Amino acid sequence: MNDFASESGADDPTGDGMHRVGSFRFWYQDEQWEWSDEVAALHGYRPGEVTPTTELMIWHKHPDDRVRFKAMVAEMLTNHAPFSSRHRIVDTRGRIHPVSVIAHTIRDNAGRPVGTEGFYLDLTDSVQASVKEHLDDQVESFRSSRASIEQAKGMLMLIYGVSAERAFDVLRWRSQNDNIKVKDLAEAILHDARAHLEVSDDVRRKFDDILLMATSPPTV
């Protein structure tokens, strides 16, 4: 049984609702997984219906992604690497969910790595199409009126290659999970990114060309 609180409060094992972002933890010593109700729903389960294990996680991976996933688990157990990945999940109804998993290392009081935790981001097109229907007025007002939020969204879109809706899902998830206002979170991300991320000269030159040569958006 996981000890995560549900981040949406909904009971939707099909993954068709608001289950786009969910938490997980993995403990190295016991090879123990924990997942939130949202991640359970992404796999097709109701809260508490199953206990996640490595074998279950492998079973739900797309056949073409299983070898790579097994290698990532081995890397976590051997080198205590965080579990960050892009792969596909096959839920209990046989539907494929492309996901991005973003995580960092959990350390004990002595600084030793003991696990990894983070979140799943569901990239399924059908979910993306229903985002606007489910976002409430407060969320929409944040998106349209806060310049810092838009800038932070742009960073997430560029770094992780996700849509604007998905980027805001991540900001909102962090906001709810850590009880911090979305605007304050976005400003912290912008501050830390400016302080710690460096753009290489090569990347800057490539962007110079894009900036100077761009004329109109490509036609689809």
Side-chain angles (χ1 to χ4, degrees):
M1 182 174 180
N2 74 73
D3 61 357
F4 288 104
S6 172
E7 285 134 16
S8 69
D11 183 14
D12 180 12
T14 68
D16 289 330
M18 293 294 289
H19 300 292
R20 297 184 304 276
V21 183
S23 308
F24 81 94
R25 292 193 190 107
F26 178 75
W27 303 100
Y28 299 138
Q29 183 173 357
D30 300 324
E31 199 171 331
Q32 178 183 351
W33 294 88
E34 301 173 8
W35 63 17
S36 67
D37 294 347
E38 287 73 20
V39 178
L42 179 62
H43 289 76
Y45 298 108
R46 295 186 180 278
E49 183 177 352
V50 296
T51 298
T53 64
T54 298
E55 290 73 22
L56 182 68
M57 304 290 272
I58 292 173
W59 188 83
H60 276 287
K61 296 297 173 285
H62 188 281
D64 293 342
D65 295 339
R66 286 175 183 166
V67 172
R68 185 162 57 90
F69 177 76
K70 291 178 181 178
M72 284 188 294
V73 172
E75 177 73 9
M76 286 193 294
L77 294 175
T78 302
N79 298 322
H80 294 167
F83 175 44
S84 293
S85 169
R86 278 202 176 198
H87 56 267
R88 290 160 291 180
I89 290 173
V90 182
D91 68 19
T92 56
R93 297 171 63 183
R95 296 176 305 177
I96 298 174
H97 300 265
V99 298
S100 181
V101 183
I102 301 158
H104 66 96
T105 301
I106 304 172
R107 298 183 182 276
D108 62 15
N109 292 334
R112 294 183 294 263
V114 295
T116 180
E117 67 177 350
F119 62 92
Y120 278 71
L121 178 60
D122 185 1
L123 305 175
T124 309
D125 289 340
S126 61
V127 177
Q128 183 176 0
S130 66
V131 168
K132 289 185 179 179
E133 179 181 352
H134 294 285
L135 292 179
D136 56 32
D137 292 339
Q138 182 179 7
V139 171
E140 289 294 342
S141 67
F142 268 128
R143 292 181 56 200
S144 61
S145 63
R146 306 291 186 180
S148 58
I149 294 176
E150 295 302 318
Q151 292 178 48
K153 280 171 50 182
M155 286 186 175
L156 295 176
M157 292 166 65
L158 179 63
I159 295 298
Y160 298 121
V162 298
S163 67
E165 289 83 0
R166 286 296 187 279
F168 189 76
D169 287 341
V170 174
L171 293 177
R172 189 170 60 138
W173 172 80
R174 276 292 320 276
S175 170
Q176 294 173 346
N177 215 41
D178 294 336
N179 194 26
I180 179 175
K181 292 181 179 179
V182 176
K183 181 177 181 293
D184 294 341
L185 172 64
E187 290 176 350
I189 291 173
L190 294 175
H191 175 272
D192 291 348
R194 294 188 184 105
H196 302 296
L197 294 182
E198 294 185 5
V199 178
S200 68
D201 290 339
D202 182 57
V203 171
R204 199 184 305 276
R205 282 192 294 269
K206 290 179 180 178
F207 188 78
D208 289 346
D209 291 338
I210 293 173
L211 176 63
L212 295 174
M213 298 299 293
T215 54
S216 59
T219 58
V220 178

